[in-house]
């Protein structure tokens, strides 16, 4: 019956990250620095809200856009932080940021349309775009110290460009955009017939207090779509709850696609997120910062060139000196030294000279995994 499956579904694959992680799970005694979620539990106050929602029978359909209390609170918090006004109707609660991305892509991308994405980039984007027969146009930032330059961005724009997709802070680099880069991106959007879609899922996992949302660029409001969620900010990946904010002209279309795909996000998760929206999980961020500092120092002492990232929970060291691909590097490290990391070439942009290390694991695991990595690096340098 294979012939009945759509060609563009056959053409995509389960992500390299998932496959590599499954391989690591099948290998005994492996320490994993692969995972895109924090080891810490979901805070109790959120758990109580989830249980309370069940006990109060809040287990029925909600409005398609989601419960007004949470959408209200999101807009109130935006007003407080950025002095920007969005109405409750301009927010949709989604099944994780992933559903937000999916409905944006479903709404905007037709066959042959192009989406510009700076690379290295998150693996979840491209398959959603190719499923719509659209095309990803990568913008390689490794050649410019991971910075997005105006010229490079403008050069990628064609008549078929529908939107620019930015991840800030970035996965896999953990990098947070500078104000200058944000200005440049907004300027390009302003002068071209394109949308700007920003995935800010790591917005609360920032260390040097320099994150600012694109939401304050109200001069491009009619072209701006902000995606966010609670998976990373409150360690609740399994609850599948996120949101998107956009001007009414866009929301009116997005909500139709959202309605027919999912009706609404889980009612229980929406109530859990209502508690999450009230506070920042600062113990988690503090703990991640000390793990980042520790892991970064260790990589420096191994002589692996690495940028100090200001957000998310990943490090992205350069392994070019070893003259092997990131996949070969990762396979050797997995099979001979029992540590799993993710090859850079599994991310958007196919960056074979880098690896991604997730430090969102407990400190004992992190320490021992880095000890093993150090031995591997020593062996590579001396054999
Ligand atoms: N966007 C980025 C950049 C991510 O790294 C991830 C998860 O790793 C997601 C979106 C998915 O988020 P969610 O759990 O909200 O669907």
């Amino acid at each position: 019956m294979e012939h009945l499956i759509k060609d563009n579904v056959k053409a995509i694959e389960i992500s390299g990250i998932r496959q590599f992680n499954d391989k690591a799970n099948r290998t005994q005694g492996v320490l994993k620095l692969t995972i895109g979620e924090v080891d810490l539990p979901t805070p109790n106050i959120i758990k109580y809200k989830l249980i309370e929602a069940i006990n109060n029978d809040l287990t029925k359909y909600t409005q398609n856009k989601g419960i007004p209390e949470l959408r209200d609170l999101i807009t109130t918090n935006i007003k407080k932080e950025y002095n920007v006004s969005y109405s409750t109707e301009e927010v949709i609660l989604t099944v994780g940021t992933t559903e937000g991305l999916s409905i944006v892509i479903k709404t905007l991308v037709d066959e042959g349309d192009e989406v510009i994405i700076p690379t290295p980039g998150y693996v979840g984007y491209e398959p959603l775009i190719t499923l719509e027969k659209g095309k990803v146009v990568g913008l390689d930032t490794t050649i410019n110290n991971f910075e997005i330059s105006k010229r490079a961005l403008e050069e990628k724009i064609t008549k078929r460009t529908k939107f620019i997709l930015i991840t800030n802070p970035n996965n896999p680099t953990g990098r947070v955009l500078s104000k200058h880069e944000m200005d440049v991106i907004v300027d390009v959007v302003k002068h071209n017939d394109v949308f700007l879609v920003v995935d800010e899922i790591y917005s609360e996992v920032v260390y040097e207090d320099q994150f600012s949302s694109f939401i304050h660029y109200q001069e491009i409001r009619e072209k701006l779509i902000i995606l966010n969620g609670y998976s990373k900010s409150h360690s609740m990946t399994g609850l599948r709850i996120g949101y998107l904010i956009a001007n009414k002209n866009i929301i009116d279309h997005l909500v139709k696609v959202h309605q027919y795909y999912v009706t609404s996000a889980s009612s229980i998760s929406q109530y859990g997120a209502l508690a999450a929206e009230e506070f920042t999980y600062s113990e988690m961020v503090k703990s991640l910062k000390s793990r980042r500092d520790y892991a970064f120092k260790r990589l420096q002492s191994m002589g692996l060139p690495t940028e100090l990232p200001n957000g998310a929970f990943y490090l992205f060291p350069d392994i070019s000196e070893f003259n092997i691909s990131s996949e070969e590097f990762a396979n050797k490290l997995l099979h001979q030294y029992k540590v799993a990391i993710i090859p850079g070439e599994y991310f958007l942009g196919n960056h074979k000279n880098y690896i991604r290390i997730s430090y969102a694991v407990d400190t004992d695991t992190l320490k021992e995994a880095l000890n093993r990595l150090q031995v591997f690096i020593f062996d590579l340098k001396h054999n």
Side-chain angles (χ1 to χ4, degrees):
M1 300 308 282
E2 185 71 4
H3 65 288
L4 297 182
I5 307 289
K6 281 167 65 171
D7 286 342
N8 53 350
V9 173
K10 283 188 214 158
I12 62 171
E13 283 186 27
I14 293 291
S15 86
I17 297 185
R18 281 272 165 192
Q19 292 187 36
F20 196 82
N21 196 48
D22 290 347
K23 191 156 76 175
N25 285 340
R26 290 192 302 270
T27 316
Q28 280 227 320
V30 166
L31 299 177
K32 291 198 307 176
L33 305 181
T34 48
I35 296 293
E37 63 186 358
V38 187
D39 61 324
L40 299 175
T42 307
N44 280 339
I45 186 155
I46 298 172
K47 291 190 209 163
Y48 296 142
K49 264 279 185 203
L50 294 164
I51 294 163
E52 193 183 271
I54 297 171
N55 287 337
N56 289 340
D57 290 323
L58 296 169
T59 51
K60 304 292 171 68
Y61 293 128
T62 66
Q63 291 183 17
N64 294 131
K65 286 182 184 168
I67 55 172
E69 302 94 299
L70 177 53
R71 290 185 288 126
D72 258 346
L73 188 58
I74 291 168
T75 58
T76 305
N77 285 345
I78 287 165
K79 176 85 186 159
K80 262 193 227 153
E81 201 167 339
Y82 296 102
N83 196 23
V84 164
S85 298
Y86 276 85
S87 83
T88 308
E89 293 312 313
E90 290 170 309
V91 180
I92 301 176
L93 306 181
T94 55
V95 183
T97 307
T98 304
E99 193 240 333
L101 273 164
S102 311
I103 63 172
V104 167
I105 290 164
K106 273 262 168 224
T107 303
L108 299 180
V109 176
D110 267 328
E111 184 166 357
D113 284 344
E114 296 173 2
V115 179
I116 300 171
I117 309 180
T119 75
Y122 175 55
V123 281
Y125 304 140
E126 188 164 28
L128 293 175
I129 292 163
T130 53
L131 276 176
E132 301 309 313
K133 300 191 176 160
K135 187 179 153 203
V136 169
V137 176
L139 191 167
D140 183 357
T141 64
T142 57
I143 49 177
N144 192 33
N145 218 7
F146 298 104
E147 272 184 40
I148 299 166
S149 80
K150 184 165 180 182
R151 225 183 72 200
L153 187 55
E154 277 174 338
E155 274 172 15
K156 297 288 179 189
I157 294 202
T158 71
K159 284 200 179 77
R160 296 308 305 262
T161 308
K162 273 288 174 74
F163 62 93
I164 300 168
L165 175 49
I166 300 288
T167 317
N168 188 35
N170 181 272
N171 175 7
T173 64
R175 197 171 167 274
V176 180
L177 291 177
S178 67
K179 168 147 188 337
H180 172 70
E181 280 171 282
M182 292 173 83
D183 289 347
V184 159
I185 293 163
V186 169
D187 197 48
V188 172
V189 170
K190 211 167 18 182
H191 293 104
N192 288 280
D193 192 18
V194 296
F195 283 99
L196 175 63
V197 180
V198 194
D199 178 349
E200 296 185 348
I201 187 157
Y202 295 98
S203 63
E204 294 204 12
V205 189
V206 282
Y207 307 118
E208 263 80 41
D209 218 11
Q210 43 157 237
F211 177 81
S212 177
S213 170
F214 271 94
I215 208 154
H216 74 269
Y217 289 96
Q218 285 293 291
E219 65 263 44
I220 56 158
R221 181 177 175 123
E222 295 201 348
K223 294 175 165 184
L224 185 62
I225 303 173
I226 303 281
L227 302 159
N228 211 326
Y230 302 92
S231 285
K232 317 287 176 175
S233 61
H234 294 80
S235 195
M236 46 197 278
T237 45
L239 290 162
R240 314 303 308 124
I241 182 78
Y243 60 90
L244 64 80
I245 306 173
N247 197 51
K248 194 170 175 305
N249 64 312
I250 313 168
I251 287 282
D252 286 350
H253 293 292
L254 292 174
V255 74
K256 293 182 278 182
V257 182
H258 169 74
Q259 173 185 355
Y260 291 114
Y261 272 91
V262 299
T263 308
S264 67
S266 144
S267 60
I268 298 160
S269 300
Q270 292 184 47
Y271 285 99
L274 190 57
E277 186 61 33
E278 299 272 11
F279 72 101
T280 304
Y281 193 177
S282 23
E283 303 100 271
M284 177 189 77
V285 178
K286 210 169 135 204
S287 161
L288 285 171
K289 184 174 189 286
S290 69
R291 299 182 214 182
R292 177 203 63 166
D293 292 344
Y294 172 75
F296 179 70
K297 261 199 208 130
R298 293 288 309 267
L299 295 179
Q300 274 192 315
S301 72
M302 293 175 212
L304 278 185
T306 314
E307 296 284 318
L308 179 69
N310 283 322
F313 29 72
Y314 311 111
L315 291 153
F316 202 60
D318 182 338
I319 53 150
S320 52
E321 67 173 291
F322 305 115
N323 288 321
I324 54 173
S325 76
S326 60
E327 190 172 45
E328 207 180 327
F329 183 101
N331 277 324
K332 277 196 173 145
L333 182 61
L334 176 67
H335 295 301
Q336 295 172 23
Y337 300 81
K338 307 269 190 250
V339 175
I341 47 88
I342 304 288
E345 64 204 84
Y346 289 5
F347 293 92
L348 192 65
N350 193 24
H351 296 285
K352 291 185 193 307
N353 287 339
Y354 296 86
I355 54 168
R356 188 192 77 174
I357 293 176
S358 165
Y359 53 84
V361 294
D362 67 89
T363 33
D364 289 346
T365 304
L366 187 60
K367 208 168 167 183
E368 176 54 22
L370 290 171
N371 289 345
R372 295 182 192 181
L373 177 65
Q374 187 167 6
V375 177
F376 177 43
I377 299 293
F378 181 88
D379 292 348
L380 277 176
K381 282 185 177 169
H382 295 91
N383 288 328

